[in-house]
Amino acid sequence: MSQMPLKVKLYTGTVIIIGFVFLLLGVFYYDPRMNLADIIFFMVLAIITESFSVILKAETALSVMFAIGLATVLIFNPFIASIITFLGFLCRIEYVEGKGPKIFNHDIYKDLFNGSAYAVCAVASGFVYKVADGYFHFLIGRLNIMGIVLGTITYVLSNVIIYSLLDAFLQDKKFENIFKGNLWIIRNLLAISPLGIILALAHLNFGKFAVILFFVPLLLARYSFKLYMDMRHVYFETIKALSSAMEAKDQYTNGHSYRVADYAVAIAEKMGLSSNKIEKIRTAAILHDIGKIGIADSILNKVGRLEDNEYLEIQKHPEIGAKILSEVDFLGDVAHIIKHHHEQYDGKGYPDGLKGVEIPIEACILAVADAYDAMTSNRPYRRAMSHQTAANILVEQMDKQFHPIVVKAFLDHFHGKEKELIADAG
């Protein structure tokens, strides 16, 4: 926690304080006439679902506990729902490789923030449901239809807003760009929400046994998503291995793809692109030369000038790479970027001779990053250029080979880095 920026500490601390206030109100508003067994029952379901969250990447996981949280909002008062969701997260069981299941063995500050965020979402959506229930009188079972719709939307949006704000503070980026990149989370949560509504209706009309019957499909939905993510990971790691194998064939291009990825991401961030687009650009950069697997080593490693027919052969690698990646459904957008990363702004590039706005902006970003790293790296036929020489060439080729806005963003990025170095030295 001591390494957090001040604004992150203030933000997370505020969310935790609000969460604890809601928890205290939940204790205060507890009515002995409430069925404590029901509260414990849903708390156990919350712990189970949160314990089986699906890891997406380093600090991100997707949990179907959202459905349980939504059900508690519809069944209990908002503050009781906040207690259930908070404890459901705090008491989750994590499986640590080589160590088995662990409980209460997490980063406590992070857990308090996440649990408090869940509590805030529960209270916000619960109050919206109660207000809607007072104004509209269209019922399904014992639940208000308009309350369900507005409460669900509130639950989803408050969840995404809280975590988008956190990411914006952590990464020092604009909230709107982070939020746009998290729209896929909204889609996933909305897709899960009908199960939460069904669980609430089942409990209110038929009791705990009916909830258990519908709880099984919820776990199956999680299992199916886990299988998809595992398959996605295997596909991606396999293709990355092929890309690394490609680079290993030529010592002069070793590490090239990852440097290009760093440059491309920096440009995209400077241009204010969404997190989703930036992630696609990073993936495309890492895999952009995968098509060279289909090019003969004698051409790739030739020291002298390429013959015309050899150059034509080299020009096939974007299409080869795009064809390889297009076979994987979730890399379709990435394949499109890779196919066009050798197009030129004036229409003289390849493979399709696209011009200006016809070229995907992601491909334009990749083109600048790729060219810069190629110019500033050693090659068999020349020494690496200096940063300034490469930058001058990029400027000269604005409106010709390269998209002018992309070049400007790249130069602005480096100018900012230089100012940071000067400030650090001072």
Side-chain angles (χ1 to χ4, degrees):
M1 179 183 171
S2 58
Q3 297 179 346
M4 285 184 186
L6 179 59
K7 58 186 176 183
V8 176
K9 291 180 182 178
L10 291 173
Y11 175 68
T12 54
T14 300
V15 172
I16 290 172
I17 290 171
I18 295 172
F20 269 85
V21 169
F22 289 160
L23 295 177
L24 290 173
L25 288 172
V27 174
F28 180 77
Y29 280 107
Y30 174 73
D31 187 339
R33 290 173 297 178
M34 291 182 184
N35 191 330
L36 183 60
D38 287 346
I39 296 174
I40 295 173
F41 174 71
F42 275 95
M43 199 175 295
V44 171
L45 296 185
I47 292 170
I48 292 172
T49 52
E50 187 60 33
S51 298
F52 288 98
S53 57
V54 179
I55 302 299
L56 303 182
K57 49 187 178 181
E59 295 293 326
T60 307
L62 188 64
S63 168
V64 291
M65 192 181 94
F66 173 82
I68 302 298
L70 180 58
T72 62
V73 165
L74 300 176
I75 296 168
F76 304 101
N77 76 55
F79 299 121
I80 295 298
S82 73
I83 292 176
I84 293 172
T85 53
F86 179 89
L87 293 179
F89 184 86
L90 200 66
C91 299
R92 76 195 189 282
I93 300 170
E94 282 189 330
Y95 294 86
V96 181
E97 191 173 349
K99 298 181 180 179
K102 300 288 181 181
I103 187 170
F104 300 127
N105 192 40
H106 325 296
D107 182 331
I108 187 61
Y109 189 80
K110 186 186 297 183
D111 280 2
L112 289 176
F113 172 80
N114 286 317
S116 297
Y118 277 47
V120 170
C121 294
V123 170
S125 59
F127 269 104
V128 168
Y129 178 82
K130 296 298 182 186
V131 170
D133 192 33
Y135 281 93
F136 305 98
H137 305 287
F138 305 103
L139 300 181
I140 176 172
R142 291 162 58 187
L143 295 177
N144 185 288
I145 295 176
M146 187 58 68
I148 290 173
V149 172
L150 296 178
T152 300
I153 292 172
T154 302
Y155 203 156
V156 171
L157 288 180
S158 57
N159 181 287
V160 176
I161 287 171
I162 287 172
Y163 285 101
S164 294
L165 276 170
L166 177 63
D167 285 343
F169 287 134
L170 284 171
Q171 301 176 40
D172 196 23
K173 296 177 182 177
K174 292 181 178 179
F175 166 77
E176 53 267 33
N177 292 335
I178 298 292
F179 184 79
K180 288 177 185 176
N182 287 335
L183 291 178
W184 66 274
I185 298 177
I186 293 178
R187 291 193 296 269
N188 278 277
L189 293 181
L190 287 175
I192 294 171
S193 61
L195 285 171
I197 298 166
I198 290 171
L199 290 175
L201 287 169
H203 179 266
L204 291 172
N205 292 283
F206 303 106
K208 297 184 185 64
F209 182 72
V211 172
I212 293 173
L213 290 179
F214 287 109
F215 183 65
V216 174
L218 184 62
L219 292 182
L220 288 175
R222 178 263 174 199
Y223 180 69
S224 298
F225 186 71
K226 176 71 165 56
L227 289 178
Y228 170 78
M229 291 304 299
D230 288 345
M231 181 182 69
R232 185 180 188 276
H233 178 74
V234 169
Y235 271 128
F236 188 60
E237 289 302 314
T238 300
I239 293 169
K240 280 173 64 178
L242 290 172
S243 182
S244 297
M246 174 61 240
E247 289 197 349
K249 294 169 66 176
D250 181 2
Q251 61 175 319
Y252 292 97
T253 61
N254 189 29
H256 166 69
S257 294
Y258 289 92
R259 291 194 301 272
V260 171
D262 289 340
Y263 296 139
V265 167
I267 297 170
E269 290 177 343
K270 201 71 179 177
M271 293 175 66
L273 299 188
S274 69
S275 300
N276 190 39
K277 283 191 175 182
I278 291 173
E279 197 58 38
K280 287 178 182 177
I281 290 169
R282 183 196 302 277
T283 303
I286 292 172
L287 303 176
H288 76 280
D289 275 339
I290 187 72
K292 289 183 178 178
I293 287 176
I295 308 300
D297 290 357
S298 58
I299 297 176
L300 288 176
N301 298 318
K302 186 173 181 178
V303 176
R305 182 181 176 83
L306 293 176
E307 301 294 332
D308 288 345
N309 64 315
E310 293 172 328
Y311 186 63
L312 289 173
E313 195 67 22
I314 281 284
Q315 288 182 334
K316 294 178 182 178
H317 82 269
E319 289 184 288
I320 295 173
K323 188 174 187 309
I324 292 171
L325 299 181
S326 65
E327 300 297 323
V328 183
D329 57 354
F330 56 82
L331 291 176
D333 291 339
V334 170
H336 187 61
I337 296 170
I338 288 172
K339 181 179 179 180
H340 297 296
H341 78 278
H342 277 294
E343 304 285 2
Q344 296 186 11
Y345 197 71
D346 59 7
K348 297 179 180 178
Y350 59 89
D352 295 332
L354 301 183
K355 181 179 181 180
V357 295
E358 296 174 346
I359 309 170
I361 192 65
E362 298 90 342
C364 293
I365 291 171
L366 182 52
V368 170
D370 187 27
Y372 177 81
D373 187 71
M375 289 188 285
T376 55
S377 300
N378 288 321
R379 288 291 186 265
Y381 48 88
R382 62 158 174 80
R383 299 288 297 169
M385 298 179 189
S386 67
H387 161 67
Q388 193 57 55
T389 301
N392 289 341
I393 292 174
L394 290 177
V395 172
E396 289 170 6
Q397 291 299 315
M398 287 172 65
D399 288 312
K400 298 174 186 176
Q401 183 174 351
F402 304 117
H403 194 304
I405 294 177
V406 175
V407 173
K408 184 179 183 304
F410 184 66
L411 297 178
D412 286 346
H413 163 70
F414 266 99
H415 181 61
K417 297 294 284 185
E418 288 167 358
K419 287 200 296 186
E420 286 178 18
L421 290 172
I422 292 170
D424 291 342

